[in-house]
Amino acid sequence: MMWQDNFREWQNDAELDETLKRELVSIKEPSELAERFGGYASFGTGGIRAKLGVGTSRLNFYTIARATSGLADYIQKNNEGELSIVIGYDTRHFSRDFAVLSANILAAHHIKVYLADHVIPTPELSFLVRHFQANNGIMITASHNPAIYNGYKVYDADGGQITLDMANAITAEIKQYDASLLSLPINYQQISDNSIISLNEDIEQLYLEQLQKVSRNKQMITQSGAELNIVYTPLHGTGERLVTLGLASLGFKNVHVVPEQAVKDPDFSTVHFPNPEFPEAFDLARKLGQEQNADILIATDPDADRLGVAIKNSEGHYDLLTGNQMGALMIDYLLRSLSPTERNQYDYQVVKTIVTSDLGANIARKNYCQIRETLTGFKFIGEQIEQIEEAHDQTRYLFGYEESYGYLIEPYVRDKDAIQAAILTAEMALDAKLNHKSLLQRLHELYEEYGYYSEKLLTKTFENSSEADQLELKIAALRQEPPKQIGNLKVKRMEDFENSQSTDAEGHVETIKLPKSNVIKMILDDDSWLAVRPSGTEPKIKVYLSAIGVNELSAEQTLKQLEDFATQQLLS
């Protein structure tokens, strides 16, 4: 069906939701109508993430009903016995409405629904799926995206984000509803079925009990937790309750929440992007940190699965650490916290993605800990955890992380968990302070021991399909004729995850034993590397750079060479 046909169908529907009808009338540009009605927001391994608004490619009551109807059919066809699902939602526009709509549709399909009656973090949803032994979970969230976005994330019975195979199977069911989209029920104003079980805030006590497992030194916190001065911002999202209760329950009593950003504001009015990866997200936290003389600043994104951390430096300012740096510090602390008995008895495993820095991996290997590498996306880390647990041997999970500020310490959750990460970060900072140093100083000690690492992420957003096509041609050319040298360093190996091949400088080929993915990674002689990956959720390309040097200057020089190559060959 052409976009014009879709548009006329919506335009002529007398029963169209009034809010969407008003928006539809206001759109005059054919190009915008074509974008809105030319297709559907794709359903991938992270579910759907799209702008809110009228149209088949946007998230609205009809497209949510379409996705949920297909998911309900999938659950019924692939499971036996009593069927159940858990639904959570964040602070964004329409999140509660979308959750109630989904609950009503699933209940009508004779699926028991556990529906949160308040906003909850994404990691809590993952935990609740496992706790209730549900078939699936739905989280209505767009994570750290701007306010115009919302999303529909689907979880499997293990509490992890669904795999590609499951996503494809659910997509096939969803597409059955394309022709009947506007006739789907859109009851979102009230819960209409007694098989929908409401979950109030009391349910969070179960999560908080598990959270105690994260701490490696409760006695230290009990005795000295008040000595660490913490400023925390939930960035208008879902993290405040569990983060503050979790910190307080262990003994961190000196916690100051940024009041302006404790407000559950769907417009995220105090930040341009509610993303703790961006220094600007810490502006109000920095101000409060200076007033309170805080040792550390911590921020969680709106659905509280990502954690950002800023540490006071010797000049009294706050330096934002990268996800790679925090992951390395966490690995270091977790390994130092193991008892001699634990080290001797178990084979500990760290799981990281292929675009995450090697610093953490090198720390782990030097301490006799195994590394598992996965594709980008925490669902793959969740799969590795499941494999580790199913082995029933001496193998034990220690830690999983990715460079984009996602960490998981205790696997009672199967997704990245900023609440857990906030607890461990506070404990690490206290441990450092009691040893008369900061986490920044500990990080530089690691650099002295393992080499200096410098990383950077370059991104380019596509303005139109022509730009996307041109970039695909450049990536194809890179595959066909990879460079022999970048700057003054030779390329010793190229890893092509789309073709599952790793080729060294002499032409020897090895098979990459990971699922196929449109990623190219070039490793240089000194183990610095560059990786190219189109985003799976947004119209953009990402280029990851990781440089290694004997000191900070040499690492930065190598990073500059990587950046120049990426800019000239791919992003210009």
Side-chain angles (χ1 to χ4, degrees):
M1 182 184 288
M2 299 290 289
W3 72 261
Q4 292 95 335
D5 297 327
N6 274 333
F7 166 60
R8 289 191 203 95
E9 192 173 331
W10 284 58
Q11 187 181 41
N12 297 329
D13 191 332
E15 303 299 320
L16 188 70
D17 176 80
E18 285 298 324
T19 302
L20 297 177
K21 188 178 292 185
R22 286 193 297 272
E23 184 182 356
L24 186 60
V25 171
S26 71
I27 302 170
K28 305 301 182 185
E29 290 295 326
S31 59
E32 184 175 353
L33 289 170
E35 181 270 320
R36 287 175 180 258
F37 291 96
Y40 288 90
S42 60
F43 188 98
T45 53
I48 304 170
R49 189 179 300 177
K51 291 180 180 179
L52 292 161
V54 70
T56 57
S57 70
R58 300 295 178 99
L59 275 191
N60 51 62
F61 301 121
Y62 300 97
T63 54
I64 289 289
R66 169 182 176 264
T68 306
S69 299
L71 176 61
D73 290 344
Y74 171 85
I75 293 172
Q76 289 179 319
K77 290 179 180 179
N78 290 275
N79 298 279
E80 297 178 350
E82 184 180 61
L83 307 176
S84 64
I85 193 165
V86 185
I87 303 178
Y89 54 93
D90 68 6
T91 60
R92 290 176 178 272
H93 290 291
F94 300 107
S95 283
R96 169 71 183 176
D97 295 333
F98 291 166
V100 172
L101 170 59
S102 298
N104 286 332
I105 291 172
L106 289 156
H109 282 75
H110 309 293
I111 298 169
K112 181 191 288 187
V113 179
Y114 298 94
L115 173 65
D117 72 356
H118 59 290
V119 299
I120 66 171
T122 289
E124 185 183 354
L125 182 279
S126 173
F127 164 73
L128 290 173
V129 170
R130 293 171 60 79
H131 172 75
F132 287 113
Q133 298 181 317
N135 300 101
N136 288 96
I138 299 171
M139 184 69 193
I140 307 295
T141 180
S143 191
H144 55 282
N145 280 60
I148 188 61
Y149 285 83
N150 211 328
Y152 183 97
K153 293 176 73 171
V154 180
Y155 287 77
D156 63 20
D158 193 52
Q161 294 182 44
I162 55 174
T163 63
L164 183 58
D165 288 343
M166 190 180 293
N168 289 337
I170 295 171
T171 298
E173 300 295 338
I174 290 173
K175 286 182 177 178
Q176 303 300 314
Y177 290 91
D178 288 2
S180 58
L181 179 68
L182 292 176
S183 64
L184 290 171
I186 58 165
N187 177 14
Y188 59 89
Q189 295 177 332
Q190 59 185 5
I191 295 169
S192 60
D193 195 292
N194 58 14
S195 64
I196 299 174
I197 300 167
S198 183
L199 303 178
N200 61 29
E201 289 184 344
D202 292 344
I203 199 71
E204 282 156 7
Q205 189 56 40
L206 298 171
Y207 176 95
L208 288 167
E209 289 170 5
Q210 294 292 321
L211 188 61
Q212 297 293 310
K213 296 178 181 177
V214 172
S215 175
R216 271 28 183 192
N217 194 339
K218 291 186 176 67
Q219 183 178 359
M220 175 185 69
I221 303 171
T222 301
Q223 292 175 348
S224 307
E227 294 183 30
L228 187 72
N229 198 342
I230 304 169
V231 162
Y232 165 59
T233 172
L235 295 178
H236 301 293
T238 62
E240 181 186 8
R241 179 175 167 81
L242 288 180
V243 170
T244 55
L245 286 175
L247 289 168
S249 69
L250 285 165
F252 291 105
K253 304 182 185 302
N254 201 359
V255 180
H256 311 276
V257 179
V258 176
E260 302 94 330
Q261 294 175 331
V263 178
K264 294 175 175 61
D265 175 10
D267 292 314
F268 309 116
S269 54
T270 67
V271 285
H272 188 55
F273 291 108
N275 187 345
E277 295 182 61
F278 296 161
E280 311 87 71
F282 281 83
D283 285 350
L284 289 177
R286 284 191 178 88
K287 180 181 177 183
L288 184 58
Q290 294 291 350
E291 293 171 2
Q292 299 294 337
N293 192 30
D295 298 299
I296 65 169
L297 315 177
I298 57 178
T300 53
D301 69 341
D303 69 327
D305 63 352
R306 299 182 187 219
L307 180 84
V309 180
I311 307 295
K312 180 183 280 188
N313 62 28
S314 58
E315 297 177 352
H317 303 301
Y318 293 96
D319 289 346
L320 179 61
L321 299 185
T322 69
N324 286 316
Q325 291 169 332
M326 280 305 305
L329 285 165
M330 289 178 179
I331 291 170
D332 168 63
Y333 183 78
L334 291 169
L335 287 168
R336 287 190 288 114
S337 299
L338 293 175
S339 69
T341 302
E342 289 172 321
R343 285 177 175 272
N344 293 331
Q345 187 174 358
Y346 299 117
D347 179 16
Y348 285 98
Q349 310 272 309
V350 167
V351 189
K352 65 179 282 290
T353 68
I354 57 174
V355 296
T356 298
S357 164
D358 294 316
L359 174 58
N362 291 338
I363 294 169
R365 290 190 184 100
K366 188 170 182 180
N367 287 275
Y368 309 103
C369 183
Q370 303 300 313
I371 297 296
R372 295 183 178 220
E373 279 206 326
T374 73
L375 295 178
T376 306
F378 227 87
K379 56 187 169 288
F380 297 112
I381 294 176
E383 287 178 341
Q384 291 296 317
I385 296 170
E386 191 173 5
Q387 291 177 21
I388 291 168
E389 291 185 345
E390 289 177 349
H392 300 299
D393 55 17
Q394 300 304 103
T395 305
R396 291 293 183 274
Y397 171 79
L398 181 77
F399 183 64
Y401 76 118
E402 57 186 3
E403 50 75 39
S404 55
Y405 287 55
Y407 322 97
L408 181 63
I409 298 97
E410 290 294 331
Y412 61 85
V413 167
R414 283 292 200 267
D415 205 348
K416 49 187 176 286
D417 188 340
I419 301 142
Q420 289 191 33
I423 297 299
L424 188 66
T425 296
E427 184 172 319
M428 290 160 47
L430 177 61
D431 176 72
K433 187 172 185 177
L434 295 177
N435 285 285
H436 310 291
K437 65 181 74 166
S438 71
L439 287 179
L440 280 172
Q441 290 169 311
R442 179 57 191 157
L443 178 63
H444 281 277
E445 289 176 354
L446 294 175
Y447 285 153
E448 288 292 327
E449 184 173 356
Y450 295 95
Y452 280 76
Y453 286 71
S454 185
E455 293 92 21
K456 191 168 189 177
L457 172 63
L458 306 176
T459 63
K460 181 174 182 178
T461 301
F462 308 138
E463 298 298 329
N464 51 57
S465 59
S466 175
E467 284 189 5
D469 292 343
Q470 288 175 16
L471 194 49
E472 281 296 328
L473 289 174
K474 291 179 180 180
I475 294 173
L478 201 62
R479 279 197 168 94
Q480 289 294 321
E481 194 171 345
K484 293 181 169 53
Q485 190 162 320
I486 295 177
N488 57 13
L489 290 168
K490 292 182 179 179
V491 177
K492 71 174 180 180
R493 189 168 73 257
M494 175 167 162
E495 297 175 341
D496 184 347
F497 293 87
E498 181 77 3
N499 296 316
S500 302
Q501 290 185 339
S502 174
T503 308
D504 67 17
E506 284 72 44
H508 301 126
V509 179
E510 294 182 1
T511 301
I512 297 174
K513 297 178 180 178
L514 287 174
K516 292 182 181 294
S517 181
N518 189 12
V519 181
I520 296 172
K521 186 174 182 180
M522 289 170 282
I523 298 93
L524 308 184
D525 268 350
D526 68 347
D527 289 327
S528 298
W529 52 262
L530 177 152
V532 183
R533 182 179 77 91
S535 172
T537 57
E538 301 168 271
K540 65 170 57 174
I541 189 82
K542 297 183 177 182
V543 182
Y544 303 80
L545 313 176
S546 180
I548 307 169
V550 294
N551 53 42
E552 188 173 0
L553 178 61
S554 64
E556 289 296 329
Q557 289 172 338
T558 299
L559 188 71
K560 179 67 166 56
Q561 294 179 60
L562 293 173
E563 185 173 3
D564 288 346
F565 173 85
T567 302
Q568 294 165 12
Q569 299 297 318
L570 292 167
L571 304 180
S572 61

